[in-house]
Amino acid sequence: MRGRSDGGQKKRLIFSLCAVAIFLGLLYVYYGSSSRGAADLGYGSKSLRKLGSSYLGGDDDTDGKQYESSTKFGQDEGEDIVPKTFPVCDDRHSELIPCLDRHLIYQMRLKLDLSVMEHYERHCPPPERRYNCLIPPPPGYKVPIKWPQSRDEVWKANIPHTHLAHEKSDQNWMVVQGEKIVFPGGGTHFHYGADKYIALIANVRPPLPTDFGSKAAMLNFSHNNLNNEGRIRTVLDVGCGVASFGAYLLSSDIIAMSLAPNDVHQNQIQFALERGIPAYLGVLGTKRLPYPSRSFELAHCSRCRIDWLQRDGILLLELDRLLRPGGYFAYSSPEAYAQDEEDLRIWREMSALVDRMCWRIAAKRNQTVIWQKPLTNDCYMEREPGTNPPLCRSDDDPDAVWGVPMEACISPYSDHDQKAKGSGLAPWPARLTAPPPRLADFGYSSEMFEKDTETWRHRVESYWNLLSPKIEDDTSRNLMDMKANLGSFAAALKSKNVWVMNVVPEDGPNTLKVIYDRGLIGTTHNWCEAFSTYPRTYDLLHAWTVFSDIKKKGCSAEDLLLEMDRILRPSGFVIIRDKQPVIDFVKKYLSALHWEAVATADSDNEGDDIVFIIQKKLWLTSESLRNSE
C-alpha cells in the first residue's frame, strides 16, 4: 500500500511540475514573443506591457518606477559606464505629452477647477512617475512631407486622426484624400480661405459714422498686406484650429504663435506642426501665457469659444499684457454682429470692458471687430478713481510668466514706451539686426548685441558646413533653440526656409522679450520638465550648454535625452555645443537612443566647447510594421 501511495504521489508531483512548466512556457511565449510595443531591435528586459500599465495605475510596479537610471551625469570619467538599453513605450503612448497627460491627472486625483481650464494647463509627473522609455512612431509612419508642400498636405499615417475632417467638413479645415490629409485653408469663420480673410482684415474700413472722429485708426493697409510695411510682424492666434491663419500669414512676412489647448479638438497643434507652422500647446486658464509683455503687434481670435467676460475680464487683460503699444485685437464672432438678445448682452458688456481698458474700435465689419490698444498711459491716468480693471501694482513684473497666476489688472507701459509713444522698434526685417530698446534692461550695449549676432552667424555657418553631407535646402523646417539667449542663432537662419522656437530658461535672464523685439518667436521653459508639444514635431534641436545647466540644477541628463528624443522627428538632427564631459556622456547613449554621430568639431578658439552633431534614426516597432503592411 505504501509503495502504491508513493508512486501516486510521484505521479501527481510530476504532473504538477509539468503543468507549471507548460504554464510558464505559455507565459514566456505570450510576453516574450508578443509584439505589443516591442521593437524590431533589442530594447531591454522590462516587459513593455508592464511598462505601459504601471503608469496608468497598475499595481505591478511595487516601487512605482518604470526604469531605474544606470548612470548619472558627472560621474568620474575613469568609471566604465554602460547604460541600459531603453525599452519602448506602449504603442498607445505614441502621442504622449508628459506634462499635458489626462491619465496623469486622473491617476494623481488632482483637484482642478474645470471651469477655468486648469485641466488643460501643465501638470508634470513627479520623477517616480515619468516614462523612461522611447516613444514609438505610429504604424506606417513616414518622413514628413517637406515645406512648402506640407502647408497644404501631410501623411495621414503620421497623425491618424480624421475626426476633425468629419466634424469640420463644412468649414474646409481638412479633407482626407487617400493616404494624405489635405488642408484647403478654411476655418470656422473663413470657409473660403484664410488668405481672403487676412486680406479683408488688412483692408477693412471703419464703420461710418464713427464715434471716434477723424483720429480713429484704420486698417487700410496698402496692397491688402497685413504686415503694414513691416510694422506688424509677430501675431498671437488664440484658439487657432489647425493654424491655417498662421500658415497664410507667413507669405506676408508675419510669424504667428498659433496657440490651442489639447482639448476636444485634439491634435490640432500636432497638425499645425506637422504642416511646418509655428504652434504651441497652451491655454488661457489661470496662469500667464509663457510670453513676456508687449510681444505681439496683433492678437487674433476667430470663433475661439472663449468667455472673455469671465473673472472680471482676466483673459482679455492677459491679451492686453501681451500686446505692444498700439497693438490690435481682431475678434471674429457672432457677438460682434449682435443679432439676438444674448449676443447683444455680450457685446454691450464686452464693449464696456474694453472701453474701461482704453481700447478703441479701429474697424468693424459684419462679424469682425478690431480693437486697438492705446499708445501711451495717458488714458489710464485720465480714468475715474476706482475704475475697474485697476492698474497692476507697481511691484508687479509683467515679464514674469513661468507658473505666475494671471491678474485682472492693466500692465502700464514703461517710461521708455511712454516717452516714445510706442515700442520704438524698427520695421521688419530691419528690426532683426537693430539693437532693440529693451536690450538695456540687461545691461547689454549695442556693441555687445552686434557682436553676439556676428558670433552666431559664424557658428551657424559652421554648423551647416558640418551638416552639408546630410542636409538639403528643404531637409529641416521646424527648429528649436533650447537656450536662445538673444535669439542670434535664429537670426542667422533668416535666409533659410525654416522657423525657430526660441526657448529661454525660466530661471535665467528673461531675454525672451529681446527675441520678440527682433521679430522672432519663442517661449519660456524649464528643461527639468517635458516641453509642451507632441512627439516628433521638430527637425533640429540646438542645445548650447543646456546639459551643463541642468547638471547645476541637479536634474537628470538622461531624462533630458529622452525628452529630446520624444520631440525630435525621425531623421532629425541634434546639435550639442557643450563641454567635453557632456559630449562623452551623450556618446554613451547613442546606441540606446538609436542616434548616430554625424560630426564632431572644436569651437574654433571660442573656449573649450565642443560641437557634436547627431541624427536620429527612423525605426518602427514590429507591431507598427505589421499594421502598415
Side-chain angles (χ1 to χ4, degrees):
M1 291 292 292
R2 184 179 300 164
R4 287 195 296 271
S5 176
D6 290 342
Q9 288 178 355
K10 288 180 180 178
K11 288 180 180 179
R12 285 194 294 272
L13 180 60
I14 292 171
F15 177 79
S16 299
L17 290 172
C18 289
V20 170
I22 292 170
F23 177 71
L24 291 174
L26 289 172
L27 283 177
Y28 173 79
V29 170
Y30 182 78
Y31 286 109
S33 58
S34 170
S35 63
R36 179 162 183 82
D40 54 333
L41 300 169
Y43 290 119
S45 60
K46 176 154 286 198
S47 162
L48 298 177
R49 182 175 293 276
K50 179 178 179 181
L51 186 72
S53 64
S54 162
Y55 185 85
L56 296 175
D59 55 2
D60 50 4
D61 240 351
T62 55
D63 62 356
K65 296 183 180 180
Q66 285 77 47
Y67 175 78
E68 189 66 35
S69 174
S70 60
T71 61
K72 292 183 179 179
F73 179 57
Q75 284 183 308
D76 294 338
E77 293 182 33
E79 187 175 344
D80 185 20
I81 303 172
V82 181
K84 296 178 182 179
T85 57
F86 291 113
V88 177
C89 299
D90 195 287
D91 281 352
R92 58 186 162 168
H93 304 317
S94 68
E95 294 174 353
L96 175 70
I97 311 166
C99 293
L100 296 171
D101 184 9
R102 293 194 190 113
H103 294 297
L104 175 72
I105 292 174
Y106 299 147
Q107 184 187 0
M108 297 184 68
R109 298 178 176 85
L110 300 179
K111 296 180 180 179
L112 305 175
D113 189 341
L114 305 188
S115 68
V116 293
M117 303 297 182
E118 275 192 299
H119 54 308
Y120 293 137
E121 295 181 324
R122 288 174 57 86
H123 303 283
C124 297
E128 67 272 13
R129 292 187 181 273
R130 291 178 182 172
Y131 276 89
N132 289 47
C133 52
L134 301 178
I135 304 295
Y141 181 87
K142 301 179 181 181
V143 173
I145 294 171
K146 306 301 183 186
W147 181 268
Q149 184 182 352
S150 63
R151 186 196 73 173
D152 301 325
E153 59 182 26
V154 302
W155 296 116
K156 182 173 67 174
N158 291 9
I159 310 180
H161 301 284
T162 59
H163 59 283
L164 279 177
H166 303 299
E167 182 182 340
K168 304 290 185 179
S169 59
D170 61 334
Q171 298 172 10
N172 284 325
W173 277 39
M174 46 193 272
V175 179
V176 178
Q177 291 184 0
E179 293 186 342
K180 294 178 178 178
I181 295 176
V182 176
F183 301 88
T188 303
H189 190 73
F190 41 91
H191 305 176
Y192 299 105
D195 52 346
K196 299 179 181 63
Y197 173 67
I198 291 167
L200 175 69
I201 292 176
N203 203 28
V204 68
R205 302 299 202 280
L208 294 175
T210 176
D211 294 332
F212 299 101
S214 59
K215 293 184 179 180
M218 291 184 281
L219 300 194
N220 188 16
F221 297 158
S222 61
H223 310 297
N224 292 351
N225 195 331
L226 193 60
N227 78 359
N228 191 24
E229 300 181 345
R231 294 179 182 86
I232 291 182
R233 165 64 182 172
T234 52
V235 169
L236 177 66
D237 187 16
V238 179
C240 63
V242 294
S244 289
F245 182 75
Y248 283 85
L249 285 174
L250 289 166
S251 61
S252 299
D253 267 344
I254 296 174
I255 188 165
M257 178 66 80
S258 296
L259 181 81
N262 186 23
D263 63 2
V264 292
H265 291 158
Q266 292 178 37
N267 310 101
Q268 52 190 333
I269 292 297
Q270 190 178 17
F271 278 118
L273 290 164
E274 185 74 10
R275 297 173 70 186
I277 304 165
Y280 185 82
L281 277 165
V283 67
L284 282 165
T286 66
K287 304 288 195 305
R288 284 178 172 175
L289 294 177
Y291 318 120
S293 67
R294 310 193 300 282
S295 292
F296 301 97
E297 276 92 21
L298 183 142
H300 173 255
C301 159
S302 172
R303 304 290 185 95
C304 54
R305 303 187 308 168
I306 293 174
D307 177 8
W308 297 106
L309 297 174
Q310 64 174 286
R311 291 176 283 158
D312 300 318
I314 194 169
L315 304 185
L316 206 57
L317 288 160
E318 174 65 358
L319 287 192
D320 183 86
R321 182 184 71 84
L322 295 172
L323 283 174
R324 298 195 194 277
Y328 299 98
F329 176 42
Y331 180 57
S332 295
S333 181
E335 293 87 35
Y337 192 50
Q339 286 187 313
D340 58 39
E341 283 301 318
E342 180 61 14
D343 288 341
L344 282 169
R345 181 192 66 80
I346 295 173
W347 174 251
R348 284 194 297 266
E349 292 184 21
M350 199 165 176
S351 297
L353 172 61
V354 297
D355 184 63
R356 296 194 302 273
M357 292 167 57
C358 295
W359 289 12
R360 295 292 181 264
I361 290 180
K364 186 173 183 289
R365 180 172 177 178
N366 296 333
Q367 294 186 17
T368 298
V369 60
I370 302 174
W371 284 290
Q372 186 176 25
K373 186 180 175 181
L375 283 169
T376 68
N377 293 326
D378 294 351
C379 175
Y380 306 144
M381 301 298 106
E382 294 169 359
R383 299 187 308 165
E384 292 292 330
T387 299
N388 285 319
L391 295 182
C392 296
R393 301 183 313 274
S394 59
D395 61 348
D396 175 71
D397 181 1
D399 299 325
V401 297
W402 188 252
V404 176
M406 293 182 192
E407 291 192 40
C409 61
I410 298 171
S411 298
Y413 297 131
S414 65
D415 291 341
H416 170 272
D417 288 355
Q418 174 69 12
K419 293 176 183 177
K421 296 186 177 180
S423 56
L425 298 176
W428 177 266
R431 71 171 64 172
L432 183 65
T433 52
R438 289 198 279 186
L439 195 65
D441 293 357
F442 306 96
Y444 294 154
S445 65
S446 297
E447 291 75 18
M448 294 168 67
F449 175 82
E450 290 163 358
K451 182 179 179 181
D452 185 77
T453 300
E454 184 64 15
T455 295
W456 280 104
R457 188 184 67 80
H458 286 296
R459 288 177 177 178
V460 169
E461 183 179 350
S462 175
Y463 291 162
W464 252 247
N465 287 336
L466 293 170
L467 282 165
S468 58
K470 293 271 190 177
I471 200 167
E472 302 290 340
D473 288 342
D474 63 352
T475 299
S476 298
R477 171 62 183 170
N478 303 351
L479 277 58
M480 178 186 287
D481 191 359
M482 298 173 67
K483 182 184 175 184
N485 194 27
L486 300 179
S488 295
F489 170 83
L493 292 164
K494 179 183 179 296
S495 63
K496 302 190 181 297
N497 220 350
V498 302
W499 68 272
V500 180
M501 179 68 78
N502 293 280
V503 181
V504 171
E506 101 292 349
D507 60 348
N510 193 2
T511 54
L512 191 57
K513 55 187 176 182
V514 172
I515 290 169
Y516 273 94
D517 286 354
R518 299 184 76 170
L520 305 169
I521 61 170
T523 187
T524 306
H525 187 62
N526 177 3
W527 283 115
C528 295
E529 301 176 358
F531 193 76
S532 294
T533 193
Y534 285 88
R536 304 172 300 279
T537 46
Y538 285 89
D539 298 298
L540 187 148
L541 306 176
H542 177 242
W544 172 47
T545 68
V546 174
F547 284 90
S548 291
D549 291 344
I550 67 163
K551 176 189 175 183
K552 296 173 185 175
K553 298 167 79 170
C555 300
S556 168
E558 189 176 279
D559 284 353
L560 178 58
L561 284 171
L562 285 166
E563 173 62 5
M564 291 168 71
D565 183 79
R566 183 185 74 85
I567 66 180
L568 186 65
R569 285 174 169 173
S571 301
F573 296 92
V574 178
I575 302 175
I576 298 176
R577 189 182 195 94
D578 217 315
K579 303 294 186 287
Q580 186 66 55
V582 170
I583 306 303
D584 294 339
F585 172 83
V586 173
K587 285 180 177 179
K588 293 180 172 67
Y589 284 83
L590 295 184
S591 177
L593 291 164
H594 309 291
W595 293 1
E596 62 180 1
V598 173
T600 307
D602 59 32
S603 56
D604 296 329
N605 300 319
E606 292 184 24
D608 55 355
D609 285 353
I610 303 296
V611 176
F612 186 39
I613 300 181
I614 305 156
Q615 186 173 25
K616 178 179 177 178
K617 298 177 183 178
L618 172 60
W619 56 268
L620 296 171
T621 65
S622 50
E623 179 175 343
S624 295
L625 290 170
R626 280 201 304 274
N627 289 345
S628 61
E629 291 176 355

